[in-house]
Amino acid sequence: MEKTILKSRKVLFAGALIASLALAATPAMAQPGYGAAPAQQAAGQDFDAQTLEQFADAAIALSEIQEEFAEQLHGVQDQEEAMAIQERVNEKMVQSVQEQGLEVQTYNAIANQMNTDPQLQAKVQQLIAEKMAN
């Protein structure tokens, strides 16, 4: 029974992650210096299978970090404390993307291209669903 509940939670998490990517694949980092690649580089760029696998792994990790951030931020009244938490989260997100073997700019370029390329979006969503099902 515990295995079934754990698997159900993974599937629900995967569904939520895919839904959030479908609504808006936003760049990973809001800090200056971590913006998306210039539009002329990102538009219509082909990403190889390994890069998309790395992106999917990073997207899953970032979703978990964002969930953790939301829990940390819940109930925080002090703006400075909230900003400090956000800074730590941004650093953690950058590190997580890099640990997957991607540059932040590449991650952001894929996320941005997903907004305008339904085929890429579907391919990434499928990769994430497969990874979350395992």
Side-chain angles (χ1 to χ4, degrees), residues 36-47 105-106 108-114 116-117 120:
Q40 66 270 21
Q41 290 179 343
Q45 187 172 351
D46 287 329
F47 299 100
Q105 292 79 6
T106 303
N108 288 339
I110 295 169
N112 287 330
Q113 188 169 328
M114 285 176 62
T116 59
D117 185 342
L120 177 62

Side-chain angles (χ1 to χ4, degrees), residues 3-79:
K3 270 188 163 181
T4 305
I5 292 171
L6 184 59
K7 182 134 181 136
S8 295
R9 290 181 82 187
K10 281 179 109 176
V11 169
L12 286 173
F13 182 73
L17 177 60
I18 290 168
S20 69
L21 281 173
L23 291 174
T26 56
M29 285 28 95
Q31 285 182 312
Y34 293 109
Q40 66 270 21
Q41 290 179 343
Q45 187 172 351
D46 287 329
F47 299 100
D48 63 33
Q50 179 182 356
T51 301
L52 294 179
E53 290 277 345
Q54 292 168 318
F55 177 87
D57 289 334
I60 292 167
L62 294 184
S63 179
E64 292 169 356
I65 292 168
Q66 289 171 336
E67 186 176 304
E68 178 185 324
F69 167 69
E71 291 172 11
Q72 288 178 13
L73 199 58
H74 184 72
V76 172
Q77 299 291 324
D78 182 44
Q79 186 173 355

